[in-house]
Amino acid sequence: MKRFEGNPILTSVASHPWESRRIFNAAILHNGNRVHMLYRAMGDDAISRLGYATTQDGYHIDWRSHNPVFVPATDVEKDGCEDPRLTLLDDKLYMCYTALSVVDNQDKYQISLTSISVDDLVRRRWTWGERQLPFPGIRNKDGVIFPKRIDGKVVMFHRLEPDICAAYSADFQHWYDVRSVMPTRTKSWDCWKVGAAGTPIELNEGWLFIYHGVSYEKVYRLGVALLDRYNPEIIRWRADQPILEPVEEYEKFGKVPNVVFSCGNALIDDRVIVYYGAADSVLCVATYDLSELLPKK
Ligand code: BMA
């Protein structure tokens, strides 16, 4: 594992009111020779919006938007669109994110789902599809769609505290068979809560699944598991130790200390590039050889 020596790769911009305070967790699309990122940004009003940036080599940002490309549009997300995760499926990009509204000083959040064509994203035409609530009124987050139908069904992982759960759909409208697939582990770094990180990666061995785990001390770390290729509810292997934990200054100190949190990754050759928000303040990168993330033979 190697943290990029140029971390953080993306930081806030004081002259952009919508992203003047902090930028962090980013959805990733790697299409051929470019990595596209939609990142969570917060400005003076503390509302999360999404910004867009690209990098050709995966590490050095070569373009970023002046304006947010996705902003709250309805009452249920009036206080923020957080933690996007992108999936290419059936030739369309689907984006799950957390819709936040604060009511009587209480955070109400739920998963929201929208879509955009690859062409529109790449050409920076922000013509998003309808926003839907797959589980209206249900307090869940960390939604991510698998990049392939399984048994003809669309598969989503999401988090109903404290476990990672599955849900299925035929049409992206109705979701059913919600059940826990990955619980927390007692006496472990992932004892309090777990949630998906970026989009699962399909390998011959199964689905490579990176997730975050939270300890009782509220330290956010990343872990890895291998899920059955034909039934991702079956966990074939789950690493005992985290694959990333807060060590560097930029991970230990910031708006929310001791956090590494990922919403996206890219498999380039045999390397997995993990994009992660550090201390809920900046966006960073860590790179792994694929073999490091798989069970030892
Ligand atoms: C989660 C989300 C993430 C954040 C993490 C750590 O609940 O809000 O966006 O990175 O907490 O604060």
Side-chain angles (χ1 to χ4, degrees), residues 38 47 56 78 102 136 147 155 185-186 237 256 259 265 297:
L38 292 166
I47 290 177
Q56 199 148 25
K78 68 180 174 55
V102 183
V155 185
R185 293 184 291 198
T186 48
W237 170 77
V256 184
V259 173
N265 51 61
K297 293 221 168 95

Side-chain angles (χ1 to χ4, degrees), residues 24-25 40 82-83 141-142 159 193 212 220 256 259 261 280:
F24 45 126
N25 312 334
R40 179 175 170 191
E82 308 179 343
D83 300 347
K141 49 167 71 177
D142 302 321
R159 200 276 302 288
K193 292 191 276 192
H212 71 259
Y220 281 72
V256 184
V259 173
F261 191 96
D280 283 3

Side-chain angles (χ1 to χ4, degrees), residues 39-159:
Y39 59 90
R40 179 175 170 191
M42 290 174 99
D44 299 343
D45 62 4
I47 290 177
S48 293
R49 300 174 178 84
L50 305 184
Y52 169 74
T54 61
T55 157
Q56 199 148 25
D57 67 1
Y59 301 94
H60 299 90
I61 302 296
D62 44 39
W63 199 88
R64 75 186 284 179
S65 59
H66 283 281
N67 294 306
V69 302
F70 192 83
V71 300
T74 63
D75 242 18
V76 296
E77 59 187 38
K78 68 180 174 55
D79 295 295
C81 301
E82 308 179 343
D83 300 347
R85 292 173 175 89
L86 272 176
T87 301
L88 181 60
L89 179 66
D90 303 341
D91 284 333
K92 217 177 182 183
L93 278 169
Y94 291 90
M95 183 174 80
C96 293
Y97 61 97
T98 306
L100 174 73
S101 72
V102 183
V103 181
D104 297 332
N105 271 328
Q106 283 216 342
D107 281 4
K108 288 187 72 174
Y109 59 79
Q110 58 191 310
I111 292 169
S112 183
L113 174 63
T114 186
S115 62
I116 191 168
S117 74
V118 179
D119 198 48
D120 281 349
L121 182 114
V122 168
R123 291 173 195 274
R124 304 179 201 148
R125 283 191 306 242
W126 304 108
T127 45
W128 294 94
E130 198 196 332
R131 302 180 190 199
Q132 298 168 3
L133 301 173
F135 317 96
I138 300 292
R139 195 177 159 83
N140 61 358
K141 49 167 71 177
D142 302 321
V144 67
I145 289 177
F146 279 63
K148 194 177 192 180
R149 285 179 189 252
I150 298 176
D151 269 346
K153 293 176 282 195
V154 182
V155 185
M156 188 199 292
F157 272 12
H158 58 110
R159 200 276 302 288

